[in-house]
Amino acid sequence: MKILIWIVMNENLDYAKIIEENTKTHSVLIDFFATWCPPCQTLLPILDSISSNTEWSSYLKVVKINIDQYPVIATKYRIQSLPTLVLIPKHPQKVLEIARQVGGISEKALIEWLDQHKIRA
């Protein structure tokens, strides 16, 4: 499985630092998910499919956060439904959410959503 740049959070990683460091060079798409969530599982191959386009890897990194393992992070981002995608644009000094997508989304709609926010600009 090839995924954009797939960062799965674990207890040894500082999620805020990972996001902050990656937004200096790329936009970051945070995928809040749970293993028991069917729409979250449906989103997995969509993210994988987008990542097979090597152009995306020069613009976007994906951070996956399992809300059952990291409820504090989910609370910080006010996650109330799954899946939730949070988009943070490339910026050398700030980490600022510009958009979020709640619920399932098709590959075409996800690409249109990312393009709407000028991720490849």
Side-chain angles (χ1 to χ4, degrees), residues 15 32 66-78:
Y15 79 93
F32 288 94
N66 183 329
I67 65 151
D68 289 330
Q69 292 178 325
Y70 305 99
V72 172
I73 302 169
T75 299
K76 178 183 183 219
Y77 279 90
R78 302 172 325 277

Side-chain angles (χ1 to χ4, degrees), residues 3 7-8 14 16-17 20 25 28 42 45 50 53 64 66 109:
I3 223 47
I7 304 168
V8 178
D14 178 349
K17 186 173 184 101
E20 180 182 337
T25 58
V28 173
T42 301
I50 289 173
N53 178 340
K64 291 189 61 65
N66 183 329

Side-chain angles (χ1 to χ4, degrees), residues 31-41 43 65-68 74 79-85 101-104:
D31 174 22
F32 288 94
F33 75 100
T35 56
W36 48 262
C37 165
C40 299
Q41 299 307 313
L43 187 58
I65 299 177
N66 183 329
I67 65 151
D68 289 330
I79 303 305
Q80 297 178 351
S81 297
L82 294 177
T84 296
L85 300 174
Q101 167 64 41
V102 178

Side-chain angles (χ1 to χ4, degrees), residues 2 4 50-60 115 120:
K2 180 178 185 274
L4 302 174
I50 289 173
S51 71
S52 65
N53 178 340
T54 55
E55 177 188 5
W56 279 105
S57 65
S58 62
Y59 300 103
L60 185 69
D115 284 341
R120 294 193 275 188

